Amino acid sequence: MDTQIIQLIVNGIAVGSIIALGSVGLTLTYGILRLSNFAHGDFLTLGAYLTLFANSLGINIWLSMVLATVGTVLAMLLSEKLLWSKMRSIRANSTTLIIISIGLALFLRNGVILIWGGKNQNYDLPIAPALDILGLKVTENQILVLALAVVVILALHYLLQNTKIGKAMRAVADDLDLAKVSGIDVDRVVLWTWVIAGTLTSLGGSMYGLLTAVRPNMGWFLILPLFASVILGGIGNPYGAIAAAFIIGIVQEASTPWLGSQYKQGIALLIMIVVLLIRPKGLFKGTM
């Protein structure tokens, strides 16, 4: 296999790690809350900018990521309190929810521009040369992003499979009414869904900032690959979303020699359309 293609696959794995974290949060909010949240990408952007803000104060990048996660989770919980809980109480339809989420996305993006400006910015980190591994150029940040993504995914797997709240989340995703009559505290599950989604999304944004410049529209350009991963992996299935994210990340990067980098987003759209036509339920079974 050509060295350039292998290099692009390595780059795609790093990008896929970012998409995986974001798409898991997105598929959880849909699987449990039945919410197609188009503001999800802009919460990812918020996580990157909060990391940038903390880092600019001289705080270590890893602690900055933790602080950004707290801020992003609080912002998501605020949106739940002010918007989504009220929409559920009046049983708003899916079209209304989508329009509100797009409005929230615009609000977040313009808020970021108002506070931090529209130019590209970077974390205050020492410049490290790329590592030469078997003729491939791999940056330390790419290795860190992949390693952190693996750790977070394993932690999520443990939470969903071995904890009481994880089992409750899976029950609510499978059948909300049955979960209610079984005595499951649905409000607590909703709270934990936002906490987990906010944590994963913020970390995804923070790590994306390690690979590229931090800019106001970074999350908006990721929203299509995020939704494509959710659909390809089976809506509501976090494991499927993770697998699909790596597929999309690799295919996007590997396509650049033929299509150019400007059409990478089109690959995610093409994959999403093909899957919807051939296998509408995705490659894997939906729900957790």
Side-chain angles (χ1 to χ4, degrees):
M1 190 181 291
D2 186 80
T3 304
Q4 182 189 15
I5 297 299
I6 299 175
Q7 180 70 63
L8 290 170
I9 290 173
V10 170
N11 296 344
I13 291 171
V15 173
S17 301
I18 308 298
I19 298 173
L21 293 177
S23 62
V24 168
L26 187 59
T27 203
L28 284 177
T29 54
Y30 184 85
I32 295 173
L33 306 178
R34 303 297 187 266
L35 171 64
S36 298
N37 190 5
F38 281 82
H40 199 81
D42 291 282
F43 278 112
L44 185 145
T45 303
L46 179 63
Y49 271 95
L50 290 176
T51 301
L52 176 73
F53 173 69
N55 184 233
S56 68
L57 298 177
I59 299 173
N60 175 277
I61 186 64
W62 305 112
L63 181 56
S64 296
M65 286 186 182
V66 173
L67 295 174
T69 298
V70 174
T72 305
V73 168
L74 290 175
M76 280 195 167
L77 291 175
L78 183 61
S79 71
E80 160 66 16
K81 178 70 174 177
L82 298 179
L83 294 174
W84 308 126
S85 63
K86 297 185 185 302
M87 290 301 103
R88 284 196 305 276
S89 68
I90 63 172
R91 297 185 179 275
N93 60 39
S94 58
T95 303
T96 301
L97 296 177
I98 289 172
I99 292 172
I100 291 173
S101 71
I102 293 173
L104 178 59
L106 294 171
F107 174 81
L108 289 170
R109 196 175 321 140
N110 285 283
V112 164
I113 294 172
L114 177 66
I115 296 171
W116 286 285
K119 65 179 182 179
N120 293 359
Q121 300 183 62
N122 294 285
Y123 300 144
D124 183 16
L125 298 172
I127 298 175
L131 304 174
D132 193 326
I133 302 175
L134 300 176
L136 301 174
K137 298 297 182 182
V138 183
T139 66
E140 289 184 4
N141 285 342
Q142 285 178 322
I143 296 173
L144 288 171
V145 163
L146 178 58
L148 185 55
V150 170
V151 169
V152 171
I153 289 167
L154 289 175
L156 175 68
H157 171 73
Y158 179 83
L159 184 144
L160 290 177
Q161 300 297 329
N162 299 288
T163 66
K164 187 176 180 180
I165 188 62
K167 293 173 182 177
M169 289 173 70
R170 288 192 288 131
V172 172
D174 285 336
D175 192 322
L176 175 60
D177 294 329
L178 181 59
K180 285 181 177 178
V181 299
S182 299
I184 292 175
D185 187 345
V186 175
D187 290 336
R188 184 164 174 262
V189 170
V190 169
L191 176 67
W192 272 99
T193 300
W194 285 115
V195 169
I196 294 168
T199 299
L200 295 174
T201 304
S202 180
L203 287 174
S206 299
M207 291 193 294
Y208 195 40
L210 292 174
L211 300 181
T212 184
V214 178
R215 55 191 188 277
N217 58 2
M218 60 193 292
W220 182 247
F221 285 125
L222 274 178
I223 196 67
L224 188 56
L226 292 178
F227 271 102
S229 298
V230 170
I231 292 170
L232 180 61
I235 295 176
N237 186 336
Y239 304 108
I242 292 167
F246 283 105
I247 292 171
I248 289 172
I250 291 170
V251 172
Q252 278 192 169
E253 294 299 317
S255 69
T256 53
W258 296 278
L259 299 177
S261 60
Q262 67 269 31
Y263 292 110
K264 287 195 292 186
Q265 302 297 320
I267 294 296
L269 178 61
L270 178 62
I271 292 173
M272 186 167 65
I273 292 172
V274 170
V275 170
L276 285 172
L277 289 174
I278 299 175
R279 193 178 172 88
K281 293 184 179 180
L283 298 179
F284 307 95
K285 182 183 176 183
T287 74
M288 296 181 249

